[in-house]
Amino acid sequence: MASNTLDPEAVEQPERRDFLYIATGTLGAVGAAMAVWPLIDQMNPSKDVLALSSTEVDLSPIEEGQSVTVVWRGKPVFIRRRTQAEIDEARDVNMADLPDPEEDAARAVKPEWLVLVGICTHLGCIPLGESGDFGGWFCPCHGSHYDTSGRIRIGPAPDNLVVPDYAFLDDTNIRIG
Amino acid sequence: MSGSTFETDNKLVNWFEKRLPIISLMHGAVVVYPTPKNLSWWWTFGSLAGVALVIMMATGIILAMHYTPHVDYAFLSVEHIMRDVNYGWLIRYVHSNTGSLFFMVVYIHIFRGLYYGSYKDPRELLWIIGLLIYVLMMATGFLGYVLPWGQMSFWAVTVITNLFSAVPIVGDAIVSWLWGGYAVGNPTLNRFFSLHYLLPFVIFAAVILHLWALHTSKSSNPLGVEVKTPQDTIPFHPYFTAKDLVGLAVFLIVLFFFVFFAPNYMGHPDNYITANPMVTPAHIVPEWYYLPFYAILRAIPDKLGGVIAMFGAIVILFLVPWLDTSKVRSSRFRPIYKQFFWILVLDCFVLGWVGANAPEGHFILIGRLATAYYFLHFLVILPIVGMIEKPLPLPESISQPVLKGEQE
């Protein structure tokens, strides 16, 4: 080792040592991150929660102009059998008036049936049905008004009420999720 | 610590001291600690906050012995505490009301720091650690408010956790991670209980750092003039232990007035309705100590903007030592800033009042003006007043104004 100190190329030695430090440090950091990940990921939805991800609903008892609220993934889902007047109102809207423009036809598989996640897109309260300035929903927490298609019209909410993925299994049954 | 060596003839104490000098440490910290002799009653609130923390931890540990953190049992177990557990009602009411008063004490403590410039060189870290304690307190208070699983509990978690959904791109993933599901539910309650139990111990550790920083930079005082000679100080014990005990007696009178005569005054009746994820109460409000921040959140007509403004209102306090350009600490000698200080206090009350009311009509405008003023105070008024103001002449030392009075 003593000879190394006299070696003119001794300057190479610290660089090798640096490489080893950096390599060890990087490996250590990656290992630590991998060890921490389970401690973080355990807070994500567990398998039994994920298993509850779809809900089937029988629509036959719902009359025209009536709404029901069903639970899907622990959240309320509004199912409304809309009247012709409501459908017309929802379809006869100037897109430029909407903060989050979306055609009503894109929000309802069948015009008669409107299916919405009943959670205000502002901070998660449950809006009240058949109220507000646009005949749709009104959120009592911070004053967001939604129309008969569940689209945001006035208030702090940034987006329309979410339409969940759903499919008609037959004429009167849907599966949400 | 001037001449504060600890000596004793007690052999047992000396045996202990040689191995772990904790007795001399405590002796230095709470007996001979040289305290400026002109501290006013406003300096009592620090030790009161410490007592409040101890009351919270003691009653909280007891409540945890009877509480069940499960969505089906949480509300009922709180009722069980109130009705069946011996003195359960007393312990729970002391816990909930001390929580409220703890915030009141800490707010007075913070505003005292703002008025007397206690955050200035060399006490910036002391101030920052104090603010960290305040942030931890807000987190702990919020987590604890969720545990009774009433309607206000449930909708408080929903609204506050949804604040994170404003984060671009990863917002929804963060919220789902916080909840442990697609909505607020049992996993949420369980982890909130775990964290509510943990955070007070973190606060306790932060308090030790706060005291360490205090005893390094020493207490500030109402004149804002640094201690120059030992004559400017008196030992902490018995002078300030006695004074703080008087403050504590007043605090306990106020606390037990609420506990015995108005235990739910600072709460909300809707929290005696079991949490219902399908119905939001008509008017949801946070606990009073969050109201000014709630008003700031709602003042900005944009979801992300509101969240940024709300967190910004807290972050800005961390920058105060550098935003204040005045070399004079105490507002007693700052004729212009003193007035702005009281306007800020008023502004915070206005924000609290707006936060307690539904965001309709003139409350929207008042909320926006008060929010704008809050930021104006820290970002514009504080730096500019420090530069243009001509402070009153400072006394040479803490003792000088008093001694001069005696000579005349």
Side-chain angles (χ1 to χ4, degrees), chain B residues 26-79:
Chain B
M26 297 306 290
H27 184 259
V30 296
V31 178
V32 292
Y33 172 64
T35 318
K37 60 185 178 185
N38 59 338
L39 294 192
S40 67
W41 286 107
W42 296 111
W43 265 256
T44 312
F45 291 88
S47 72
L48 276 185
V51 173
L53 177 63
V54 170
I55 295 176
M56 290 309 278
M57 291 175 79
T59 50
I61 287 167
I62 292 168
L63 289 172
M65 295 177 187
H66 303 280
Y67 170 79
T68 312
H70 185 282
V71 287
D72 293 337
Y73 305 106
F75 188 87
L76 294 174
S77 71
V78 171
E79 285 307 301

Side-chain angles (χ1 to χ4, degrees), chain A residues 40-46 49-50 53 69-71 73-76 121-128 140-143 156 158, chain B residues 155 158-159 162-163 165 173 176-183 187 191 277-282 284 294 297-298 301-303 359:
Chain A
I40 294 170
D41 191 42
Q42 52 82 22
M43 278 175 70
N44 274 317
S46 58
V49 173
L50 293 168
S53 58
T69 303
V70 297
V71 181
R73 294 180 171 180
K75 300 191 243 199
T121 57
H122 182 225
L123 294 173
C125 297
I126 314 280
L128 305 168
C141 292
H142 307 96
Chain B
W155 293 100
T158 303
V159 169
N162 263 302
L163 292 177
S165 70
S176 167
W177 176 73
L178 289 171
W179 288 341
Y182 299 112
R191 64 190 57 178
M278 296 295 131
V279 180
T280 305
I284 61 167
Y294 194 56
L297 167 76
R298 299 191 303 190
D302 174 77
K303 186 172 164 179

Side-chain angles (χ1 to χ4, degrees), chain B residues 253-272:
Chain B
I253 290 170
V254 175
L255 170 63
F256 284 98
F257 169 79
F258 280 109
V259 168
F260 292 132
F261 299 102
N264 292 302
Y265 181 76
M266 291 182 282
H268 197 293
D270 275 26
N271 222 25
Y272 283 99

